[in-house]
């Protein structure tokens, strides 16, 4: 029964590993039924499974990392918040008549310190995804986010944002209600806040929808997450008029954590449990919590004005290049 349930969520490159693990389970069950000692064989197969897992997940292509970033079982913003916070109270509404479920936020305590947490929220299944617009926030969502962040700045609470969206809601209604203005307003306001801001890409960070809560003192990113100006499918459709070339676009866009670290965009890569964050959500949450606490402690050593200046300089340096003769 368990194997049947996992098939729809199984990625192609995971199949050899899952088949080997399934074989190990079958041998263990048969041995137990027949009273046969196969412990040595099991140890060898488990060692092979561990080696295979390391081989697979250490050599993923950008398009494969994109699949992992979009994995339905990958921990979401609310999963991480509930795992890392001592207390959590979700707050609702943008005070203009809407409460976007694709972008959640509230007040929490991290290691005893009051903070405000904000992030994109995808669904677990089709029905939930439709309700949450697949994590694509509307203008009201970004207005809710900035309302909570202004509250944090007013009361001296650090801001932690969690990025996981293919982009802002791409509908005519969203444009009519000022999607571009809402995101631009957030970008401007996040630069002026004096409290520490730490942004973490936990899954898929796409386009202005990600940037709407992505201006911070530190940018962290899980190793199998992606961060890009446009989805590879959209890029391929625009440049080559062929969405089937998304894998080629994923390489050209430099969407992976190592690429972004080399470009100076990313501050820290967070390792994931063997097999990806979805294989051990609590393990991934522990890694995230430790990184947030360490970065927050470092940022709190500087004054609010210093953080504002460094944040501004951080983003001014992005995109700088040198022409070679």
């Amino acid at each position: 029964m368990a194997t049947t349930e996992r098939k729809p969520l199984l990625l192609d490159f995971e199949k050899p590993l899952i088949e080997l693990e399934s074989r190990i389970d079958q041998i263990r069950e048969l041995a137990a039924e027949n009273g046969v000692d196969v412990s040595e064989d099991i140890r060898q197969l488990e060692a092979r499974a561990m080696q295979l897992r390391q081989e697979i997940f250490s050599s993923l292509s950008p398009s494969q990392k994109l699949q992992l970033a979009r994995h339905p079982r990958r921990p979401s913003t609310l999963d991480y918040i509930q795992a890392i916070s001592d207390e959590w109270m979700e707050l609702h509404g943008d005070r203009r008549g809407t409460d976007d479920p694709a972008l959640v936020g509230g007040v929490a305590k991290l290691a005893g310190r009051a903070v405000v947490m904000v992030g994109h929220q995808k669904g677990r299944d089709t029905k939930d995804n439709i309700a949450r617009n697949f994590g694509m926030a509307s203008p009201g969502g970004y207005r809710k986010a900035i309302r909570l962040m202004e509250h944090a700045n007013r009361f001296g609470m650090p801001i932690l944002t969690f990025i996981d969206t293919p982009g802002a809601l791409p509908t005519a209604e969203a444009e009519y209600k000022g999607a571009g203005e809402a995101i631009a307003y957030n970008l401007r306001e996040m630069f002026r806040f004096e409290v520490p801001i730490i942004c973490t890409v936990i899954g898929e960070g796409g386009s202005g929808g990600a940037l709407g809560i992505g201006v911070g003192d530190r940018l962290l990113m899980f190793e199998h997450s992606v961060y890009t100006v446009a989805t590879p499918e959209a890029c391929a459709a625009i440049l080559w008029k062929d969405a089937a070339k998304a894998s080629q676009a994923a390489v050209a866009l430099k969407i992976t954590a190592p690429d972004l670290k080399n470009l100076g965009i990313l501050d820290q890569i967070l390792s994931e449990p063997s097999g990806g964050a979805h294989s051990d959500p609590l393990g991934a949450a522990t890694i995230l919590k430790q990184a947030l606490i360490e970065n927050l402690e470092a940022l709190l050593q500087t004054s609010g004005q210093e953080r504002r200046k460094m944040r501004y300089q951080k983003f001014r340096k992005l995109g700088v290049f040198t022409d070679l003769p």
Side-chain angles (χ1 to χ4, degrees):
M1 178 67 76
T3 304
T4 304
E5 291 175 352
R6 292 182 67 179
K7 283 184 179 179
L9 305 177
L10 189 61
L11 303 177
D12 289 339
F13 57 84
E14 290 182 301
K15 287 181 179 179
L17 177 60
I18 299 303
E19 289 172 357
L20 179 56
E21 290 177 341
S22 176
R23 181 182 166 196
I24 293 173
D25 291 338
Q26 290 174 358
I27 293 174
R28 186 179 284 113
E29 290 175 6
L30 287 173
E33 291 174 2
N34 296 281
V36 180
D37 182 11
V38 292
S39 56
E40 182 59 32
D41 295 318
I42 292 294
R43 277 196 294 271
Q44 292 179 2
L45 288 172
E46 287 178 338
R48 172 55 186 153
M50 183 179 296
Q51 180 184 4
L52 182 60
R53 184 181 293 106
Q54 292 174 345
E55 290 173 357
I56 290 174
F57 287 90
S58 64
S59 59
L60 295 174
S61 67
S63 60
Q64 288 173 329
K65 289 199 174 190
L66 179 62
Q67 292 179 58
L68 269 184
R70 293 172 173 172
H71 199 291
R73 292 188 185 273
R74 193 169 179 86
S76 67
T77 291
L78 288 176
D79 292 330
Y80 281 123
I81 289 176
Q82 291 165 3
I84 70 176
S85 59
D86 306 321
E87 298 178 32
W88 160 248
M89 179 181 292
E90 185 174 354
L91 301 177
H92 297 273
D94 65 347
R95 298 300 184 265
R96 300 188 186 184
T98 65
D99 180 31
D100 186 3
L103 208 155
V104 299
V107 180
K109 277 193 175 181
L110 178 69
R113 181 182 297 277
V115 298
V116 164
M117 297 183 177
V118 177
H120 302 101
Q121 180 63 33
K122 292 181 178 179
R124 279 287 175 229
D125 52 34
T126 302
K127 182 179 179 180
D128 194 20
N129 260 320
I130 291 174
R132 292 190 181 274
N133 291 321
F134 294 84
M136 297 183 290
S138 66
Y142 290 103
R143 291 177 180 130
K144 174 170 67 173
I146 201 65
R147 178 180 76 82
L148 298 180
M149 288 189 273
E150 287 171 345
H151 176 85
N153 190 62
R154 186 178 305 116
F155 292 98
M157 293 184 286
I159 299 168
L160 308 177
T161 74
F162 304 101
I163 298 168
D164 188 17
T165 180
L169 188 63
T171 64
E173 183 180 6
E175 291 299 318
Y176 177 77
K177 292 182 177 179
E181 183 274 339
I183 292 172
Y185 182 83
N186 283 20
L187 297 178
R188 186 189 71 184
E189 294 303 294
M190 290 183 78
F191 274 109
R192 75 172 180 82
F193 293 150
E194 295 196 351
V195 295
I197 306 175
I198 302 175
C199 308
T200 306
V201 183
I202 61 173
E204 181 180 12
S207 192
L211 287 175
I213 58 170
V215 176
D217 304 297
R218 301 282 172 85
L219 176 62
L220 317 182
M221 186 171 170
F222 274 108
E223 63 175 313
H224 298 318
S225 294
V226 298
Y227 199 32
T228 174
V229 67
T231 63
E233 294 88 349
C235 177
I238 294 170
L239 295 183
W240 295 292
K241 312 300 181 185
D242 184 3
K245 293 187 177 181
S247 296
Q248 184 178 342
V251 175
L253 283 167
K254 306 293 184 184
I255 65 177
T256 68
D259 287 331
L260 295 167
K261 189 74 165 62
N262 291 336
L263 291 170
I265 295 171
L266 181 62
D267 294 298
Q268 183 179 350
I269 299 175
L270 307 182
S271 60
E272 296 189 23
S274 180
H278 66 283
S279 67
D280 183 7
L282 290 179
T286 300
I287 293 168
L288 174 61
K289 182 176 183 178
Q290 185 62 33
L292 291 174
I293 292 173
E294 290 175 358
N295 280 276
L296 190 53
E297 288 177 350
L299 288 170
L300 288 169
Q301 300 304 311
T302 59
S303 68
Q305 289 188 344
E306 288 175 323
R307 283 192 294 268
R308 285 179 58 180
K309 290 178 182 178
M310 289 189 294
R311 192 182 306 148
Y312 175 78
Q313 291 301 325
K314 170 183 171 65
F315 279 83
R316 287 292 295 173
K317 291 176 183 177
L318 298 184
V320 175
F321 63 93
T322 302
D323 286 324
L324 297 177

